[in-house]
Amino acid sequence: MQQIFRLAVRNLGRVKRRLVITAAVIALGVGLFIWIDGFVLGTSRQSETNLITYETGAFRIVSKQWWEERDFMPLNDSFHGYEELMTRLKNLGWHTTPVVEFFADVIVTDGNLILPIMAVDFTSLDSVLPLTKHLVAGSVPKPNHAQAILGSWLAKDLGLEVGSEFVLQTRTREGSYQTLDLVVSGLVTTPHPAINRGRILMDLNLAKEVLQLDHAVTSVVAAVFNPYAIEQEAKRALAALDLSPNLNLLSWKELGADAVASAQQDQQQTAIMVVLFSLMAAVGVANTMLMATYERIREMGILRALGLNSSELRLLFLTEALLLGFLGSAVGLLLGVVLNAYFVTQGLDLSAYVQQVDVGYRLSGVVYSAWNPPAMVGSFLGGIVLAGVASWLPIRRVVRMTIVDCLRHT
Amino acid sequence: MKKRHWFLSLAFLFPAGIWAQGLSVPQILERVESNQVFSTARLEGVVVVNDEWGRRETAFRSYSQGRERSLVEFTSGESQGQRILRTRGDLYLYFPEAAEVVRLQGAALSESILDSDVSYEDIGGDKGLNQRYTGELVGSEVVDGRDCWVIRLTTRERGVAYPRQEIWVDKELFLTRFAKYYALSGRLLKEFRVLEVMMVSGRTLPSRSIIQDKLRRNSSTEIRLNKVELDLRLPATTFSLGNLTW
Amino acid sequence: MAWRNLARNPRRTGLSALSVAIAGLSISFLFAFSDGMMNDFRQNVRTFVSGDIRIRHPDYEAHELKQPLHLAVSPLSEVLPLLEGVEGVRAALPRVNLGLRVDHGEKSYNLKGLGVDFARETALMNPARYLHQGRLPQAGSREVLISASLARELNLGVGDTITTLARTRGRGLNAMTFTISGTAVFPLMAQNKRLMVHPLDLTQRLARLGDSAQEVLLTLERPAMAPQLAHTISKLFEKLGYSLAVLPHTQIGIAALYTQIVETMFAVIALVFFLLGSAIIINTTLMVIHERTQEIGTLTALGATESTVVRVFFLESLLISIIGALVGVGLGTGVAAWFSVVGMDFSTMMEGISVEFSPVIYPQITWRSTLGTLGYGVLVGSAMSYFSSRRAARVSPTQALRAI
């Protein structure tokens, strides 16, 4: 066996050209598959990713009443004890941030509009909803200051810029009319259009004071802990916490149910392209391996003439094929990982390739790939197996031919 | 005249804000309210709304009983046939083309009626001023030619819509001629001013008054009373839901 | 002679042709499918957002956030016949979007209201297509259509009544009670959320819109004529004194931009297909040429010139590429053609509950999915062979003959 193995390795090294050609096809097949799979997955999941990253977090804790009335977000559905909840979640590994959301009449110079306002603790916000990382103008509100960050599209629609003033009119938790004068301190443009179109952020402590909140909040938002098991996070948290009966823990799917349904449609459709590609890669690798093996029928004849029996021959060529497959798949895996890594972190800015239609907003056309470990492992193994299987058929034929026929083959 | 002056000068000897003309602020407020609250009343009038979209007139007819019950019907304009019923602390809306009555609660109460400067909540008021506010006399001022007390009201309860008010009360007629309504932050939200008065059954009522939402641009609502009947007999079912939909 | 050579070693011929066929098949189907997806997307945008041309009040866009009902297209009774009289316009569809509220049980719900002219909409939205239960509202009745998910949420069905509150154009409130004539499921998930579709005249009564609509969408005989027709209509309006904004769908901001972004994405994916396809073809060709180095050597030893060798081999590989490409593209197109009739049904499951709507994609057979891909296959195959056979021909006969 050891001899066969050594022979196989030497054989591979003997004809570099053939080695390179076949290994290259396998490598490209595996590498490009990993890339296209990651790209398609990432882009079709884009809206979900945006939802989780910039809007819902992995899950939220809200009061049951608040969820029932979420269309109206009444302040008296806020709950107490959020600090304790946050500490417990932190001990279990989650980063959290407290949030108060409410509707207010936003009054600007040429009119007014009822909009949802989100009061946040800017120090803990970033590690949960990295909104302020996308500041395109101005800065984050200072603690307790009457300042606000707006989505850039919203600001444009309202005619506001950094430094502009506007007034919020709303009611306190008790029900008294309240107004708050705010100054725009910064604008954000995130990859999530909903944020750009409708988000207004202000300081939580100021909101608590102004809205007579008496230390209650409307949600505690948790960041994703394990990006490969986001689905299970809410369940895990719920099991680990002992929530009081008036509270509910909702996963991002429930929080963003509408967006999820849309996204699923996208995912299923674009998956076809990945399947098609893998078919092409599989047949392509098989084709290449077949040719490579058939090429060597004379060689096989010589080996047989020299005394190698059928099973030894089979073993030798199979070993070569598997080694080749391993080499190709390994290079392919490396290639795929490098490519995918670039697109996961940097993404592809599609908007650079489109003709700018003037919508008045700066659209984020950057799409990011995603990691898909099962696909990576699968294609790696697939490359090896396919190489082996594809070389099997010619070998079987050869073994059944006479040695003379083999030698005569061109 | 002289006697009045003497009484007024006495006022300076007492803690400011409590006594005026021999009356305590709570007493003044009581008298103001007794002018405004009727055992029963029937009113006919017109609401004129002026804002950036133009001018709209709507005629109305209303019945009221005490502080807690009222039924308003719009009798002209776009909203003709719509009715608002206040009873037992609830607010109901009737629309001619809806088979069900709409009950307004919570945040919906701050919506404005006919997109005027008056909200559904503003026409409410189960509790009297004295119950909800502590009054402080801060001075005297002449408003529209009438001598008025200036009284500052600060809420003594939680959850009062306008936590602070300032009212100018006509010293003779015990009528609020001018009022300012503030949010918790101290910002002026609405202003109310009496333009004309009328006498009915010994009481002075504002025949023309104007309300302005100070946060919104160029908006004002004028309420004109054309016909007022007080202390009339109203059927017991006037303020029932059944009557609302009839 | 090329034919004879090819026939001589069918296995080799077959495998080389197969490599071209694989690339051809995959890429032609890819193009057909992604064009099908783009088509589906564009259709939805056309049906629900832009039409071929969209007409609105000139100030509407600037105040869109506030849902200004008074910034409307009116008088409809004049504008609609005018538009329908323009040559090239198939139908003019008035639409209104409203915010509504429903109080049901102890809860209040915010809804989206869509007012359409059901009779005219057979030309664009064709609501009957999306009917799930019941039937479309009858003209002159107080009937409405609601989305199936709303019906589920409110636990209402066909025949039940529903009372909705709306803000009127005069900025007051109004409410109306409707009867649900049917439920519908629309293709864009986002739309299915709490939607009520009413006959336009009811919408106008509810929100006191008078003879106006928020926008009018036009369908054209030839949608490609949208920019020119939009211009024509603009001029017409100017002449007649109507102050209205006319936009062809190509200029309707966000939709056009997103369309381009999606197209670019598909182009990137196609590029990857091309890369692998070409690699397969190239490598196969290289192997073939190498296999036949001995042959080449024999030929040159027998006196054939370099150019003769190249010509023979090139011709052979051209034939192979053509056959392979034809087979591949033929198959790919065949499968795509079948699906373009039958449709590819993607049943959407949401948390195990099957949602009523299944988006169906119809692959599109286009020039680039057929001839374009054919050309690519032939080009890569033969180009590769040309260069490598030239190189092989230059090797000295003795060297060539020695290679095994």
Side-chain angles (χ1 to χ4, degrees):
Chain A
M1 182 53 224
Q2 213 188 7
Q3 256 190 331
I4 302 271
F5 188 80
R6 274 197 310 203
L7 188 57
V9 174
R10 270 219 318 268
N11 271 348
L12 280 182
R14 222 174 12 95
V15 189
K16 291 266 168 43
R17 173 205 51 86
R18 192 172 58 215
L19 173 70
V20 168
I21 288 179
T22 39
V25 171
I26 298 174
L28 274 175
V30 170
L32 289 178
F33 172 82
I34 291 174
W35 182 82
I36 201 176
D37 176 76
F39 184 71
V40 166
L41 189 67
T43 53
S44 64
R45 274 221 206 128
Q46 199 81 72
S47 55
E48 275 182 15
T49 309
N50 282 341
L51 181 76
I52 298 171
T53 312
Y54 299 107
E55 200 177 323
T56 62
F59 60 84
R60 286 196 185 200
I61 299 176
V62 297
S63 74
K64 292 201 172 118
Q65 264 305 104
W66 193 90
W67 184 242
E68 290 272 299
E69 304 184 319
R70 62 191 178 279
D71 276 356
F72 304 97
M73 302 201 294
L75 280 175
N76 52 21
D77 289 337
S78 50
F79 61 92
H80 291 94
Y82 71 91
E83 285 113 327
E84 202 226 314
L85 275 172
M86 283 175 65
T87 316
R88 281 199 275 158
L89 281 167
K90 181 140 179 255
N91 293 336
L92 292 166
W94 279 286
H95 288 290
T96 55
T97 192
V99 158
V100 170
E101 288 177 281
F102 60 100
F103 278 108
D105 216 343
V106 175
I107 303 169
V108 294
T109 39
D110 72 331
N112 60 289
L113 187 58
I114 296 185
L115 291 170
I117 316 287
M118 197 172 179
V120 295
D121 168 30
F122 284 102
T123 50
S124 60
L125 182 70
D126 264 359
S127 53
V128 181
L129 302 173
L131 297 164
T132 55
K133 294 218 170 78
H134 296 272
L135 266 173
V136 293
S139 58
V140 175
K142 301 199 193 65
N144 283 302
H145 275 62
Q147 295 171 324
I149 287 184
L150 265 61
S152 55
W153 304 0
L154 177 64
K156 184 160 196 304
D157 282 340
L158 293 175
L160 298 173
E161 339 171 289
V162 176
S164 303
E165 291 175 6
F166 63 98
V167 180
L168 289 185
Q169 185 186 349
T170 184
R171 306 181 74 124
T172 65
R173 187 163 173 246
E174 317 269 323
S176 302
Y177 279 117
Q178 177 62 290
T179 64
L180 183 59
D181 285 46
L182 290 170
V183 173
V184 180
S185 74
L187 301 177
V188 288
T189 306
T190 66
H192 190 25
I195 302 290
N196 307 342
R197 213 183 280 143
R199 192 52 92 223
I200 299 179
L201 298 170
M202 62 170 282
D203 182 73
L204 181 64
N205 283 329
L206 182 62
K208 280 192 200 164
E209 212 184 283
V210 154
L211 299 174
Q212 295 181 314
L213 278 174
D214 188 30
H215 237 55
V217 295
T218 58
S219 312
V220 170
V221 187
V224 171
F225 181 63
N226 179 1
Y228 299 105
I230 306 179
E231 325 262 305
Q232 293 90 310
E233 291 216 8
K235 290 201 199 88
R236 231 174 28 98
L238 187 59
L241 290 175
D242 182 25
L243 282 183
S244 44
N246 66 316
L247 295 180
N248 215 349
L249 192 144
L250 296 165
S251 74
W252 62 272
K253 273 200 176 162
E254 296 164 279
L255 294 165
D258 322 331
V260 169
S262 290
Q264 282 195 329
Q265 278 186 1
D266 287 342
Q267 282 172 31
Q268 282 171 346
Q269 290 172 12
T270 48
I272 289 273
M273 296 195 284
V274 178
V275 169
L276 187 63
F277 187 86
S278 56
L279 280 174
M280 180 168 95
V283 179
V285 166
N287 183 307
T288 310
M289 281 306 295
L290 277 172
M291 284 204 88
T293 315
Y294 270 117
E295 220 185 57
R296 305 168 67 190
I297 290 188
R298 276 187 66 191
E299 197 184 317
M300 291 186 212
I302 294 174
L303 286 169
R304 287 177 73 194
L306 288 175
L308 221 58
N309 67 37
S310 301
S311 53
E312 282 168 334
L313 188 75
R314 269 203 290 260
L315 194 59
L316 175 66
F317 276 80
L318 192 61
T319 311
E320 268 190 56
L322 289 175
L323 277 174
L324 188 67
F326 180 82
L327 185 66
S329 283
V331 172
L333 184 66
L334 186 66
L335 177 69
V337 165
V338 167
L339 279 176
N340 208 40
Y342 178 79
F343 284 91
V344 166
T345 47
Q346 301 290 69
L348 179 67
D349 190 357
L350 295 174
S351 60
Y353 303 102
V354 303
Q355 175 205 23
Q356 272 302 331
V357 180
D358 181 29
V359 294
Y361 309 130
R362 230 188 60 195
L363 212 61
S364 169
V366 185
V367 289
Y368 294 89
S369 294
W371 288 111
N372 191 1
M376 286 158 58
V377 170
S379 59
F380 176 79
L381 292 174
I384 301 173
V385 168
L386 201 57
V389 167
S391 68
W392 186 254
L393 279 146
I395 294 172
R396 266 179 42 142
R397 245 197 70 180
V398 163
V399 159
R400 275 183 291 186
M401 281 163 67
T402 63
I403 298 180
V404 175
D405 282 333
C406 288
L407 291 170
R408 249 205 309 211
H409 196 270
T410 46
Chain B
M1 267 320 256
K2 249 191 167 155
K3 226 177 183 175
R4 265 218 201 125
H5 278 297
W6 180 74
F7 267 111
L8 280 174
S9 56
L10 251 189
F12 285 101
L13 298 177
F14 292 94
I18 304 220
W19 295 96
Q21 214 168 285
L23 293 168
S24 66
V25 167
Q27 283 174 330
I28 297 176
L29 295 179
E30 286 268 8
R31 284 195 61 178
V32 168
E33 297 225 287
S34 64
N35 257 337
Q36 291 175 339
V37 182
F38 323 112
S39 58
T40 56
R42 182 180 181 282
L43 307 173
E44 268 179 35
V46 177
V47 177
V48 181
V49 182
N50 268 305
D51 61 15
E52 54 182 328
W53 315 123
R55 184 195 146 99
R56 296 182 298 285
E57 264 193 44
T58 310
F60 70 91
R61 178 175 51 225
S62 78
Y63 299 91
S64 61
Q65 187 179 67
R67 212 193 285 279
E68 289 171 23
R69 294 191 173 81
S70 66
L71 174 67
V72 179
E73 179 174 345
F74 297 116
T75 52
S76 81
E78 216 189 54
S79 305
Q80 183 171 10
Q82 285 182 22
R83 298 190 193 135
I84 307 169
L85 173 68
R86 266 200 327 120
T87 179
R88 292 171 312 191
D90 289 323
L91 200 79
Y92 299 94
L93 299 181
Y94 166 75
F95 298 91
E97 285 173 309
E100 293 162 46
V101 159
V102 178
R103 189 165 149 209
L104 279 193
Q105 285 176 321
L109 288 169
S110 13
E111 286 188 37
S112 69
I113 308 177
L114 306 175
D115 198 46
S116 68
D117 302 67
V118 182
S119 70
Y120 287 100
E121 183 166 44
D122 289 342
I123 64 171
D126 300 340
K127 301 186 192 161
L129 290 175
N130 275 322
Q131 220 180 330
R132 286 186 300 165
Y133 295 94
T134 312
E136 188 195 330
L137 182 68
V138 295
S140 267
E141 233 178 81
V142 173
V143 172
D144 298 331
R146 307 285 306 172
D147 200 14
C148 296
W149 290 297
V150 185
I151 298 176
R152 179 174 301 154
L153 300 170
T154 322
T155 179
R156 58 159 98 224
E157 288 185 331
R158 305 272 258 177
V160 173
Y162 299 103
R164 231 186 81 196
Q165 293 185 31
E166 264 168 20
I167 57 176
W168 280 251
V169 178
D170 189 313
K171 293 181 187 175
E172 224 180 279
L173 301 174
F174 287 90
L175 172 76
T176 307
R177 294 213 81 102
F178 183 59
K180 288 184 170 185
Y181 303 92
Y182 297 91
L184 199 58
S185 62
R187 193 181 251 272
L188 179 63
L189 292 177
K190 294 191 184 176
E191 256 179 29
F192 165 85
R193 181 189 289 267
V194 169
L195 300 174
E196 269 173 35
V197 297
M198 60 155 84
M199 293 288 292
V200 179
S201 310
R203 305 191 214 214
T204 315
L205 295 171
S207 53
R208 272 180 62 213
S209 51
I210 190 164
I211 300 163
Q212 286 179 300
D213 183 325
K214 294 311 258 186
L215 279 185
R216 278 155 250 268
R217 237 172 25 144
N218 301 331
S219 137
S220 73
T221 302
E222 190 185 314
I223 302 178
R224 287 190 212 141
L225 295 180
N226 295 328
K227 204 166 124 186
V228 177
E229 255 180 77
L230 298 178
D231 305 314
L232 62 155
R233 265 190 53 96
L234 289 175
T237 54
T238 308
F239 305 101
S240 65
L241 280 172
N243 196 32
L244 179 65
T245 56
W246 181 76
Chain C
M1 184 168 92
W3 275 115
R4 272 213 315 272
N5 275 345
L6 289 181
R8 233 181 348 108
N9 195 332
R11 184 247 338 142
R12 194 167 57 209
T13 311
L15 284 178
S16 335
L18 186 64
S19 71
V20 181
I22 297 163
L25 192 160
S26 313
I27 292 175
S28 75
F29 189 78
L30 174 75
F31 277 138
F33 181 75
S34 57
D35 275 338
M37 284 210 287
M38 274 313 303
N39 206 43
D40 182 61
F41 175 68
R42 273 196 231 107
Q43 275 297 94
N44 284 333
V45 170
R46 179 172 179 264
T47 308
F48 295 101
V49 177
S50 65
D52 292 323
I53 292 178
R54 188 181 71 188
I55 296 166
R56 283 181 167 178
H57 189 283
D59 297 332
Y60 184 87
E61 202 101 35
H63 294 95
E64 192 162 1
L65 269 189
K66 303 172 203 163
Q67 283 202 328
L69 293 174
H70 61 291
L71 298 176
V73 177
S74 81
L76 273 186
S77 50
E78 282 172 30
V79 172
L80 287 179
L82 186 66
L83 288 167
E84 284 170 340
V86 172
E87 196 171 320
V89 171
R90 251 183 69 204
L93 304 136
R95 300 248 178 106
V96 178
N97 286 291
L98 276 184
L100 300 174
R101 211 178 83 200
V102 165
D103 291 337
H104 190 73
E106 282 301 308
K107 285 176 61 177
S108 285
Y109 300 83
N110 283 338
L111 306 183
K112 276 199 326 224
L114 177 63
V116 301
D117 181 332
F118 278 100
R120 286 188 155 96
E121 286 289 349
T122 44
L124 183 60
M125 190 195 293
N126 201 5
R129 186 162 50 168
Y130 304 112
L131 258 186
H132 183 239
Q133 283 177 336
R135 56 166 174 77
L136 295 182
Q138 254 164 13
S141 67
R142 286 253 198 111
E143 292 176 337
V144 295
L145 215 57
I146 61 173
S147 61
S149 57
L150 177 63
R152 252 201 318 268
E153 198 179 349
L154 297 179
N155 207 12
L156 292 174
V158 176
D160 288 332
T161 56
I162 182 170
T163 304
T164 31
L165 218 59
R167 273 234 162 248
T168 63
R169 180 167 67 170
R171 311 180 75 73
L173 274 185
N174 193 17
M176 245 184 180
T177 303
F178 304 109
T179 308
I180 298 170
S181 73
T183 62
V185 181
F186 291 97
L188 290 178
M189 282 293 189
Q191 297 190 313
N192 280 320
K193 190 74 185 165
R194 299 212 190 140
L195 179 67
M196 179 186 287
V197 186
H198 7 74
L200 186 68
D201 58 327
L202 278 188
T203 323
Q204 288 168 330
R205 250 173 58 203
L206 174 64
R208 306 225 204 270
L209 298 175
D211 184 27
S212 76
Q214 177 201 337
E215 60 191 11
V216 176
L217 300 185
L218 299 180
T219 55
L220 307 177
E221 305 281 353
R222 285 164 56 207
M225 298 290 291
Q228 292 99 304
L229 265 176
H231 185 74
T232 311
I233 294 172
S234 248
K235 287 269 165 283
L236 183 64
F237 279 152
E238 246 180 76
K239 206 177 75 173
L240 296 174
Y242 292 106
S243 172
L244 292 169
V246 184
L247 277 183
H249 66 95
T250 44
Q251 279 180 38
I252 293 178
I254 301 259
L257 199 59
Y258 273 125
T259 307
Q260 287 189 65
I261 286 182
V262 175
E263 279 174 344
T264 309
M265 225 187 76
F266 285 154
V268 170
I269 290 175
L271 186 69
V272 176
F273 269 74
F274 274 115
L275 275 172
L276 187 64
S278 308
I280 294 172
I281 297 174
I282 289 171
N283 286 20
T284 312
T285 314
L286 281 175
M287 279 200 287
V288 165
I289 297 291
H290 183 82
E291 253 189 61
R292 305 173 69 188
T293 312
Q294 208 186 17
E295 242 180 280
I296 297 175
T298 314
L299 282 172
T300 36
L302 289 174
T305 58
E306 181 188 310
S307 61
T308 317
V309 171
V310 168
R311 240 179 331 141
V312 169
F313 278 79
F314 177 73
L315 206 58
E316 278 184 40
S317 114
L318 186 68
L319 281 171
I320 291 176
S321 304
I322 291 175
I323 295 171
L326 275 173
V327 170
V329 173
L331 264 176
T333 305
V335 174
W338 191 70
F339 278 119
S340 75
V341 171
V342 167
M344 297 176 76
D345 194 334
F346 292 87
S347 300
T348 312
M349 301 282 283
M350 219 173 80
E351 308 279 9
I353 314 163
S354 93
V355 178
E356 295 85 4
F357 180 74
S358 313
V360 181
I361 303 291
Y362 297 91
Q364 306 279 306
I365 313 292
T366 59
W367 287 123
R368 72 173 175 177
S369 81
T370 48
L371 290 181
T373 315
L374 205 65
Y376 151 79
V378 172
L379 192 69
V380 176
S382 36
M384 199 51 222
S385 140
Y386 177 74
F387 290 114
S388 58
S389 57
R390 258 183 50 171
R391 251 196 41 193
R394 295 220 188 94
V395 173
S396 73
T398 39
Q399 252 194 314
L401 286 167
R402 227 181 340 163
I404 294 180

